[in-house]
Amino acid sequence: MADTEPEKTAPQEHVHTSTDYPEGAQVEIPQGWMYRSRKLGPITFPWYASPQSQLVLVAFVCFLCPGMFNALGGLGGGGQVTAYVGDASNTALYSTFALVGFFAGTITNALGIRIALSFGGIGYCIYTSSYLCFDHTQNFGYSVFAGFFLGICAGVLWCAQGAIMMSYPPEHQKGRYIAVFWGIFNMGGVIGALIPLGQNIHTTSNSTVTDGTYIGFIVLTFLGACLAWTLCDAKKVIRSDGTRVILMQHPTWKSEFIGLWETLISDPWIICLWPMFFASNWFYTYQFNDVNLAQFNTRTRSLNNVLYWFFQIVGAVLSSFILDFPGMRRTTRAKVVWCSLVVLTFAIWGGGYAFQTTYTRAEVNKGANTPLDPSDDYVKMDWTSHGYIGPMFLFIFYGVYDAAWQTSIYWFMGATTNNSRKLANFAGFYKGIQSAGAAIIWRLDGLDAPPPYMNIFASCWALLAGGLIIAAPVLLMKIKDTVSVEEDVKFTDESVDDVVAHKIGHEAVDQEKV
């Protein structure tokens, strides 16, 4: 009797073998639009649950929330005529952010990505409303409270964002993903900056922005908080190479607080990056308040704001070519990135020093009666003024430099591990230390007798250069050409089998194409 002919099955559409998986393992990558899965839910869309789609969604959340915040902050003083209210609000913001940032990885891992991002977005809406309220009621207390509340919200939002951006992409595409995020996110700053530019294009005096500007920002930030709910859970995300994101299967508040401590014990080298973290928001106060607000009238600082955030996108794209250059080992790329940052630090900030020698704080504030009153004696520069082109290009290069600095930090952290749980803690440390620096410098700039502009400029330059020197050993010794799955799962309760999609597909999920 002849053997029964085996049941024919549809041919595999794509099989990929990676040297990171156990020897002989093959990873089947789902193709098509729609699948039925008993474990992931009745219907899933692989293209929607891909790292690319999820990162773009997160980028648009940040486009609408932190992007609008950046556009408002880039005007100097939050769009007010002096920096007093903005300094006080941002001091409360970053002081809270610094504390929350250290525990934000714990909060994010326990709550999940969607709740963390949506909660974070609400804080930006309330913060923006405080400036509109101050214009009509002079309610200084609400402005400080809004900054405090945003510090809590932003700490959680940025931790969730950082974990996604660093853990979702494959190793060889992390620079590209960071650049895509940074480009979309800063396009929010560009469009947000175009709003006050359009509304104040004929305003050659030094005045606060219009109510319409603040109302537009309030609406956009609220939409960003709502958009966060369209994200997938991290456990449903599958990379193009078939692997899943590495995370804790059953996180609890206790396990996450223990994990925070374990991160410092297992990776004490992260402390060497803290000076870079600390410097990464320190210079914003100088650039926005002590250059843009101090030297330019309302419409010109709006234009500078547009240019600053637009060239952030350019800087991120240029950085991505180096970060993911295919003809160069990752260890070599790390050294090239470090050397590039050293050159940019001395070239761009050297130009900043030359500009800073042309004015002082005493000259700019001469004639002001109180911190809330603008000076009547100092004539600020307009884009039609003689000599504007040089400062304009300086502000452009400040934007390029910021993008290069921030994307490099994310890439350095992402190059050390692919573990989502650990990277959430790294991102929390990053935003916490970064915000501690921002809180200090916003407070210094908001004192009744603040330091001279040149002193604040010198502190920016020194912190940036010092941060690069202290971080050098990490780049030389910790970054490897690849990190194995076996190494990444040590920090979780998952196994290699949980991460490799082939085993999930054939042993746990049993997917059927619809």
Side-chain angles (χ1 to χ4, degrees), residues 360-378:
T360 67
R361 189 186 291 273
E363 293 172 348
V364 172
N365 292 336
K366 185 179 179 182
N369 296 320
T370 71
L372 289 173
D373 292 329
S375 171
D376 294 325
D377 296 342
Y378 192 80

Side-chain angles (χ1 to χ4, degrees), residues 125-208:
C125 184
I126 292 174
Y127 175 86
T128 306
S129 72
S130 70
Y131 285 107
L132 179 63
C133 177
F134 185 83
D135 269 354
H136 293 276
T137 68
Q138 301 294 296
N139 191 333
F140 183 77
Y142 179 56
S143 297
V144 174
F145 166 77
F148 164 81
F149 184 68
L150 179 56
I152 299 173
C153 296
V156 177
L157 180 143
W158 278 108
C159 177
Q161 173 273 333
I164 289 173
M165 190 169 67
M166 293 185 287
S167 65
Y168 280 20
E171 286 187 331
H172 65 286
Q173 293 183 338
K174 289 197 175 187
R176 186 182 310 168
Y177 276 62
I178 292 170
V180 168
F181 167 83
W182 208 256
I184 295 174
F185 157 53
N186 282 298
M187 187 55 70
V190 173
I191 293 176
L194 285 170
I195 295 172
L197 176 61
Q199 293 183 332
N200 298 280
I201 197 165
H202 300 298
T203 305
T204 57
S205 62
N206 186 35
S207 60
T208 185

Side-chain angles (χ1 to χ4, degrees), residues 18-21 170-172 174 241 329-331 333 411 414-418 478-488:
S18 170
T19 56
D20 284 343
Y21 310 141
E171 286 187 331
H172 65 286
K174 289 197 175 187
D241 63 3
R329 295 172 57 184
R330 185 158 72 175
T331 50
R333 277 178 273 147
W411 187 84
T416 62
T417 182
N418 302 303
K478 185 61 183 176
I479 292 180
K480 302 175 183 178
D481 288 325
T482 188
V483 181
S484 67
V485 174
E486 291 82 358
E487 180 68 22
D488 278 329

Side-chain angles (χ1 to χ4, degrees), residues 265-446:
I265 297 301
S266 64
D267 299 279
W269 55 265
I270 193 70
I271 296 174
C272 291
L273 292 180
W274 284 9
M276 285 191 75
F277 298 172
F278 189 82
S280 60
N281 267 16
W282 184 279
F283 52 77
Y284 281 165
T285 305
Y286 171 75
Q287 291 172 348
F288 298 153
N289 281 2
D290 302 344
V291 177
N292 204 22
L293 177 62
Q295 284 293 285
F296 305 99
N297 62 23
T298 301
R299 71 173 187 175
T300 308
R301 55 182 168 132
S302 297
L303 174 62
N304 291 343
N305 202 18
V306 172
L307 295 173
Y308 185 92
W309 297 115
F310 177 79
F311 279 91
Q312 286 254 3
I313 301 171
V314 175
V317 171
L318 294 175
S319 296
S320 70
F321 285 114
I322 302 176
L323 296 174
D324 282 344
F325 192 72
M328 193 183 302
R329 295 172 57 184
R330 185 158 72 175
T331 50
T332 304
R333 277 178 273 147
K335 298 180 180 71
V336 171
V337 171
W338 185 87
C339 292
S340 300
L341 287 176
V342 170
V343 172
L344 288 174
T345 299
F346 284 92
I348 294 174
W349 288 86
Y353 172 78
F355 181 60
Q356 185 53 67
T357 60
T358 64
Y359 67 98
T360 67
R361 189 186 291 273
E363 293 172 348
V364 172
N365 292 336
K366 185 179 179 182
N369 296 320
T370 71
L372 289 173
D373 292 329
S375 171
D376 294 325
D377 296 342
Y378 192 80
V379 179
K380 298 191 175 183
M381 192 178 297
D382 185 67
W383 65 48
T384 60
S385 301
H386 175 71
Y388 168 68
I389 297 299
M392 181 193 74
F393 275 103
L394 174 63
F395 220 70
I396 286 172
F397 285 119
Y398 276 151
V400 172
Y401 182 86
D402 183 28
W405 186 270
Q406 309 281 2
T407 55
S408 296
I409 289 176
Y410 276 117
W411 187 84
F412 293 155
M413 292 189 290
T416 62
T417 182
N418 302 303
N419 185 309
S420 175
R421 185 189 183 212
K422 185 178 289 187
L423 285 170
N425 288 330
F426 284 177
F429 292 150
Y430 173 36
K431 303 310 290 188
I433 295 293
Q434 179 189 69
S435 299
I440 293 171
I441 191 61
W442 280 108
R443 180 59 189 140
L444 287 174
D445 195 64

Side-chain angles (χ1 to χ4, degrees), residues 99-111:
L99 178 62
V100 172
F102 276 96
F103 304 101
T106 298
I107 297 169
T108 299
N109 286 328
L111 293 181

